[in-house]
Amino acid sequence: MPAFRLAPNERFVRAGVLVLVALSVGWNSLGHSGLPRLPVPVLSGALAAGLLSGAVLAMRSCLIITDEGVTDRRPLSVVRVPWPQVTGFRVAPSGALGGGYCIVVDRPDDRPVELLATRAGGRMALRNDLGDLDRLCWKLGELQRERPGKRPGTSPASPRRMTDPG
């Protein structure tokens, strides 16, 4: 199976907000905003640089599917789940900051893994977002079933919706 990569659209929003905050902090440190200046321009410059590096980290979020398994690249970490540890996929509410829904990898040891690169909707998930997650969940289930050397006895994907999306 060729590797493919899924990058969430939400990462552009996160990075854009961080860039805007960094620009406003930098503008304020120069004294152009009319607001009280931050006391130490070096400190505000370091804060702006930190926010810009956070924007770069936010843009690195993606989901990578390979022959070895599923890799969720997050801004500060990487979570890998090998195919033998995958028993299914489902759409569920995210426990991460900001809420929303994401695809969850079910594992045989009853320790599910949230794929945060698939998170959608924030606090108010739109119907289209959930439909996209359902379709992606079905696709991941198909990839799991089609992969060579599949472990016998593993269950297929268990999506939230019972009808075929296609």
Side-chain angles (χ1 to χ4, degrees), residues 5-73:
R5 184 178 174 157
L6 172 76
N9 291 334
E10 188 179 80
R11 69 188 182 142
F12 294 111
V13 174
R14 286 188 219 135
V17 167
L18 288 172
V19 167
L20 287 176
V21 171
L23 288 174
S24 67
V25 166
W27 190 254
N28 185 28
S29 70
L30 296 174
H32 297 298
S33 66
L35 297 172
R37 279 182 64 165
L38 292 174
V40 181
V42 174
L43 177 65
S44 60
L47 178 62
L51 290 168
L52 287 175
S53 64
V56 170
L57 289 174
M59 289 300 291
R60 111 184 245 282
S61 310
C62 68
L63 183 68
I64 303 169
I65 292 94
T66 62
D67 286 333
E68 288 81 33
V70 180
T71 303
D72 184 16
R73 278 186 34 189

